[in-house]
Amino acid sequence: LFQMPRIPYGDWYANTIVITVLAVIGTVISATASAYGFARFRWPGRDLMFMVLLSTLVLPEEVVLIPKFLMFDRIPRWLFDTTLIDTWWPLIIPSFFGGGAFYVFLLRQFFLQIPRELDEAAKIDGANSWQILWRVLLPLAGPALATVAIFAFLGHWNDFIHPLIYLNS
C-alpha cells in the first residue's frame, strides 16, 4: 500500500507504532505510580516536590533537548562503552521515568477525588499499598487512565523533533 521505490513507508509506520505504544505504556505506568505517591502518602517535602514537578510544565522541551541528547550519548558510553543515539531507546526510556508532569497532575487530582475510606477499608481487609492501588484505585480510575493514554498517544505520535534529533539512520 505505502510502497514507493526506495521509500519504506511501511517500515516507518511500524517503527512509529512500536515506539508510540511502548512510550504510552511507560507513561501510563509511571504517571500512575507517581500520582499515587503524591495523592495517597504523606512524606516530608511532598508538597515542595509536587511544586517542582508542576514547575516543569512551564519549561519548554527545546530547553532540555541538548542536555538529554548529551545524557543519552555520554552516560551509556561511560558505563557500557556504547551510545543510545540512533536507537529507539531515547524515545522510549523517558516515558518510564515520571510519565510527564501533566499526566501526573491529572491522575493525582483524580486520585484525590476518590474517598480515603476505600483505602482504609482495604487496609482493614489486609491489603498493602500496591494492592490498594491495583485492586481499588485502578478499577475506579479507568476514565482518567484512558484520558492519559489518549493524550500520551497523540503526543508521542505527533512528536517529530525527538526522532529527528536522536535517530540518524
Side-chain angles (χ1 to χ4, degrees):
L1 176 62
F2 292 105
Q3 289 297 328
M4 292 180 66
R6 293 169 293 181
I7 302 177
Y9 285 114
D11 293 343
W12 293 343
Y13 274 108
N15 292 345
T16 304
I17 288 169
V18 169
I19 291 168
T20 301
V21 166
L22 290 174
V24 167
I25 290 169
T27 299
V28 170
I29 290 171
S30 62
T32 302
S34 300
Y36 179 60
F38 281 122
R40 294 298 196 200
F41 297 117
R42 304 262 182 242
W43 41 279
R46 178 189 67 165
D47 296 333
L48 176 66
M49 289 298 294
F50 189 67
M51 288 300 141
V52 169
L53 176 76
L54 286 183
S55 69
T56 63
L57 285 172
V58 299
L59 192 65
E61 181 62 28
E62 290 79 10
V63 172
V64 297
L65 197 58
I66 292 172
K68 282 183 6 183
F69 179 87
L70 294 174
M71 180 182 69
F72 283 118
D73 182 47
R74 293 189 180 158
I75 292 176
R77 191 182 305 255
W78 177 63
L79 292 174
F80 308 114
D81 200 28
T82 186
T83 182
L84 292 180
I85 302 303
D86 206 24
T87 67
W88 291 353
W89 293 114
L91 305 173
I92 298 169
I93 289 175
S95 300
F96 282 89
F97 292 99
F102 174 71
Y103 306 125
V104 172
F105 174 74
L106 186 111
L107 288 172
R108 176 188 174 264
Q109 294 305 109
F110 187 84
F111 288 150
L112 287 175
Q113 297 301 313
I114 298 174
R116 286 192 182 269
E117 287 81 13
L118 296 174
D119 294 10
E120 294 167 4
K123 280 186 182 179
I124 290 173
D125 289 339
N128 61 27
S129 298
W130 287 107
Q131 289 172 331
I132 292 171
L133 173 64
W134 186 253
R135 294 184 180 173
V136 177
L137 296 179
L138 286 184
L140 296 173
L145 294 173
T147 303
V148 167
I150 290 169
F151 284 156
F153 179 85
L154 291 174
H156 289 291
W157 184 268
N158 292 328
D159 182 20
F160 296 114
I161 192 164
H162 288 102
L164 183 68
I165 298 297
Y166 293 123
L167 303 178
N168 301 321
S169 60

